[in-house]
Each structure stands twice: as C-alpha cells, then as structure tokens.
Amino acid sequence: MNFTRDDVEEALAKNLTIVALGVAINCINGMIVFTYLNNAVFHNDTRYILYIHLVINDMIMITLSVSMYVLTYAYPIYNVSVCCMLIVIGSTTHKNTPLILAGMAIERYIAICRPLHHAQICTVQRTYILISIIWFVGFIPPLSDVIILLIVKPWSFFFTNIFCYPYTLYSSKYYNEKTKVVQAVYLSFVWLILIFTYFRILAAAKKAKGDSPASKAHNTILLHGVQLLLCMLSYISPLLDIILVPFFPAHRSKISFFSYLITNIVPRLLSSLIYGIRDKNFAKHMSVYCSCKMIIVKVKPKVHVNKEQP
C-alpha cells in the first residue's frame, strides 16, 4: 500500500518492474499449464494435478497482487464492496499455497513409504476433493471477516469508498489478533507435515541406494520447505517496514517496494523451478513447446492403381 506519493520517474520504474516480473512469472506458469493441458499423461497423476493447481493459484494471486499494486498509483480508492471481494480472493489464494505444499508432501510420503497403497489412496477423484477442501479452508478466514463486518457496520458503509487495505477495511483489534492466530495455526500445521514427511522419506532414502525415487522425493520435500520459508516472508513484510523505516524515513516508499518485491513476487518463481525444470518428465514435454518444435505427421498418400484392360 502506497501511503506516500512518489515522483513520476520513481513511480514509473516501480510499476514497470512489478508488471514486468508479474508478466514474466505468469508467462512461465502459463507455459506450464499449457504443457499440462496438452499432455494427457499428467492428467491421472496426483502429483502433477496438485502441482498444476499450485501454479494456477499462484497465477491468480500474482495477477491480483500486481493489478492492485498498479492501481494504488492510478486509483487507490475503492468501493468497500469491491475491496471486500478483492481482499477475500487475495487472502484465500495466499492461504492456499502452504496447504497445497502440505498436500504435495503427503502425496510424496505415501508414494515412497506406502507404495502398495498409493494407487488406492491417491486417486484422481480424491485429489480433486482435497483441492476443494483446500479452497474451502482457505476461504473460511476471509469470509468470517466479511461476515463480522456485515454485523458491526451499517449497510451504508458498503457504499462508501476507502483505501483498499485489510487493516483499513477491518479496523479493529479483533482482526489483528485473529490474523495472528490463523497464520500461526496454518503455518504450524504445514511445518509439522513437512518435517514429518521429510524425515520419513529421508529414512527411506538412506535404505535405498543410488539415485532412487526416495532420494529425489526427500529433495523435493526440502524444496517445499524452502518455498514455504519464502512464502512466510510475506508475513514479516510489515515487520521489516517497522524496523527499517525509522532508520531511513526518507526512503519509506523504497523500503515498502523492495519488501513487497522480495516477499510477495520473487517467491512465486520457485514453483516453476521445482517441477517445470527439475522434473525430467515435465521438462521434456515443456521443452517441445519452449523450443517451438512442431511434430509433423506425414501421411503417405494412397496410390490408386488403374488396371488397364489389354
């Protein structure tokens, strides 16, 4: 949120940087989604279904986040009803990311440590049920905030205009305390799952030899942990502003910009690296589209033999 107005050159540089990064990330993720949709081999694999859902979730969040950042310069004041809708979508997608990472870690744990039960447990239908549950769980906290706002505020409040910022919209001590509790519960739950699955898969990897699936899986879980750490940076972004701004008050706008860039935009690149590049099967199919190769099927024409009568 830009509480101070930048000069034209600085504002243009910030917006171009954010938009360029957002477009680049969404282009990469769009290529990943395109690769998934055009290769039926991935459609029945639970691992890839969860992964592509993570990519789509990040695309929605990046698009909304970048759009709202640019609009804070062009038109920072929103109708309260529109602001509620935007914050609910942004908050839901933000909370979905750690939950999806937890689901992907559990799937790898079952595949490595319970291989005989993997086909029965990790079915396509159950995967989509899990995705629905993730969206529902991520949707509950922001929905509860809106319901409480409907109770405590008069109807006329929803037809007014405000700066679209969560702490401006939900200006109460309850919101601050509830947000801290929800974040702690979500992240604690995900960290417990990641730690448990990592050490169980690590134990299986030590028993195996060479470049085994267990070794690859425990490296993937470790990358999930790194990704979760990067996602957690968004929770300390306000803390960075509180610590740094008093020392550099003249550069408050720059501090907020780099804090937003490092904690909200850059971490979304890691999703593409985990499977889009590291996974050999997915990278093989994606390289076909990235290199613009076309598979041309040549059909041998039929030869019509004319039987000439003597």
Side-chain angles (χ1 to χ4, degrees):
M1 185 66 190
N2 298 295
F3 294 105
T4 58
R5 307 307 297 175
D6 301 324
D7 55 44
V8 176
E9 292 80 7
E10 184 176 345
L12 183 61
K14 289 179 179 179
N15 281 275
L16 287 177
T17 302
I18 293 296
V19 171
L21 284 173
V23 170
I25 294 171
N26 274 351
C27 284
I28 296 172
N29 288 340
M31 180 61 68
I32 292 173
V33 174
F34 181 80
T35 302
Y36 172 84
L37 294 176
N38 284 274
N39 292 275
V41 67
F42 302 123
H43 297 174
N44 295 320
D45 194 321
T46 303
R47 176 177 49 158
Y48 293 111
I49 295 173
L50 288 171
Y51 168 63
I52 210 66
H53 177 65
L54 177 66
V55 171
I56 294 173
N57 183 81
D58 283 352
M59 290 179 70
I60 296 173
M61 184 166 57
I62 284 290
T63 301
L64 181 63
S65 179
V66 170
S67 299
M68 291 187 69
Y69 184 89
V70 173
L71 287 174
T72 57
Y73 286 90
Y75 190 76
I77 299 177
Y78 296 78
N79 178 269
V80 171
S81 301
V82 176
C83 182
C84 285
M85 181 182 66
L86 294 175
I87 289 177
V88 166
I89 297 173
S91 178
T92 302
T93 53
H94 189 265
K95 288 179 172 61
N96 283 348
T97 299
L99 296 177
I100 300 170
L101 292 174
M104 295 172 73
I106 293 173
E107 187 277 332
R108 285 292 83 198
Y109 163 74
I110 297 173
I112 301 302
C113 300
R114 299 288 187 271
L116 298 178
H117 300 88
H118 184 265
Q120 289 77 23
I121 298 175
C122 300
T123 63
V124 174
Q125 183 179 2
R126 289 181 177 177
T127 303
Y128 285 115
I129 292 174
L130 175 62
I131 290 172
S132 301
I133 293 173
I134 288 173
W135 274 94
F136 179 73
V137 173
F139 182 64
I140 289 176
L143 179 62
S144 64
D145 293 329
V146 174
I147 292 174
I148 293 172
L149 196 65
L150 287 168
I151 295 173
V152 300
K153 294 288 186 179
W155 279 102
S156 58
F157 173 74
F158 294 90
F159 297 97
T160 59
N161 297 325
I162 63 169
F163 287 98
C164 193
Y165 190 64
Y167 292 97
T168 304
L169 180 63
Y170 309 115
S171 54
S172 66
K173 184 179 179 181
Y174 157 79
Y175 176 77
N176 296 335
E177 297 301 324
K178 192 271 303 180
T179 301
K180 294 176 184 177
V181 172
V182 170
Q183 290 174 354
V185 171
Y186 269 64
L187 294 177
S188 298
F189 172 74
V190 175
W191 274 116
L192 286 174
I193 291 177
L194 289 181
I195 292 171
F196 171 78
T197 54
Y198 176 79
F199 282 106
R200 292 301 298 269
I201 293 175
L202 181 62
K206 289 181 178 179
K207 295 179 182 179
K209 295 181 179 180
D211 191 21
S212 64
S215 300
K216 295 179 181 178
H218 101 269
N219 290 334
T220 301
I221 301 296
L222 185 61
L223 286 175
H224 288 339
V226 174
Q227 187 176 7
L228 184 61
L229 280 174
L230 292 174
C231 292
M232 286 176 64
L233 291 177
S234 60
Y235 294 112
I236 66 171
S237 179
L239 182 62
L240 292 177
D241 292 344
I242 293 173
I243 295 174
L244 296 177
V245 168
F247 292 99
F248 310 98
H251 301 285
R252 175 176 181 174
S253 179
K254 293 184 177 66
I255 292 171
S256 298
F257 169 73
F258 284 106
S259 175
Y260 167 74
L261 186 69
I262 295 171
T263 61
N264 287 274
I265 301 297
V266 175
R268 306 303 157 193
L269 284 171
L270 191 59
S271 298
S272 307
L273 298 177
I274 289 179
Y275 281 99
I277 297 176
R278 186 170 173 269
D279 187 276
K280 294 181 180 179
N281 190 25
F282 203 94
K284 180 183 69 175
H285 287 83
M286 191 167 65
S287 63
V288 175
Y289 302 105
C290 292
S291 59
C292 299
K293 293 180 180 178
M294 298 295 293
I295 300 175
I296 302 174
V297 179
K298 295 182 178 180
V299 181
K300 186 177 181 180
K302 294 182 179 180
V303 178
H304 297 279
V305 179
N306 296 325
K307 296 182 180 179
E308 297 182 358
Q309 296 181 354

